[in-house]
Amino acid sequence: MARYADPGLVDWVESGGGPLVVVPAAVLNLWEGADSEGPESDYDRACAVSGYARLLAVGPAQALVLGDEPSSTAFLPEHAVFVRWVAAESEADLLGGVGAALADAAWEDRQVWDVPGPVVLFDSAWPGSEVEPDNHTRVDLPAGRYEVRAALAHSDADTAFQLIQLLPLR
């Protein structure tokens, strides 16, 4: 069974072992990763997060920490969802189950995220000022308030993934 993403249908972001983080581009340079000076680094704060997704302060904004496991993660704009690879035989098997899972998910970890505009998904150990083309994904979110909700989904006995969906609030 494949544990990590294969190149193919979408761009996956990998972690070196810690959580992934989604930081607004407007405050990206404020995320210091594991390089923070002080008693607790941004990476330490991200590692302390429990659950599938939690918000952390980054300057005047908030970052979304994708917790639980350091799973390969992609953003699917057609569903406004981060999908996190837990287990699947192939990328196609995993992605093929997302649509039905969104309709049937047992959503939890609901919270409201004020987003000032585009965000960047990357390994929380990296400083935001050092993201490079091959270690992150930019998501062009419109500025606004979003309900963040998370769920663990199984599309069959061999395929499991986490969903972190962003729903615009009016």
Side-chain angles (χ1 to χ4, degrees):
M1 181 176 334
R3 175 77 173 114
Y4 296 101
D6 303 316
L9 302 174
V10 297
D11 291 330
W12 296 92
V13 174
E14 304 284 337
S15 164
L20 294 174
V21 65
V22 185
V23 178
V27 296
L28 190 59
N29 288 337
L30 298 178
W31 184 267
E32 296 179 335
D35 294 345
S36 301
E37 293 191 26
E40 185 178 51
S41 70
D42 289 337
Y43 176 72
D44 292 333
R45 294 187 313 131
C47 288
V49 162
S50 63
Y52 297 132
R54 290 286 186 266
L55 298 171
L56 285 181
V58 179
Q62 293 177 309
L64 179 65
V65 176
L66 306 182
D68 192 39
E69 294 186 26
S71 303
S72 301
T73 302
F75 185 74
L76 306 179
E78 66 274 19
H79 299 295
V81 69
F82 291 99
V83 61
R84 309 199 68 212
W85 190 308
V86 175
E89 293 291 333
S90 71
E91 181 182 49
D93 287 348
L94 186 146
L95 296 175
V98 169
L102 287 167
D104 297 334
W107 297 103
E108 52 188 77
D109 291 344
R110 293 173 187 253
Q111 53 209 307
V112 175
W113 187 21
D114 290 312
V115 178
V119 296
V120 181
L121 167 68
F122 61 100
D123 187 329
S124 63
W126 283 86
S129 61
E130 295 182 16
V131 294
E132 298 173 355
D134 63 345
N135 70 359
H136 78 282
T137 293
R138 180 182 169 100
V139 178
D140 289 322
L141 286 180
R145 293 174 60 95
Y146 292 83
E147 177 186 358
V148 178
R149 62 186 192 169
L152 178 64
H154 299 269
S155 57
D156 61 43
D158 296 323
T159 307
F161 46 91
Q162 292 174 12
L163 301 167
I164 294 89
Q165 190 171 37
L166 309 176
L167 300 172
L169 294 173
R170 300 199 189 274

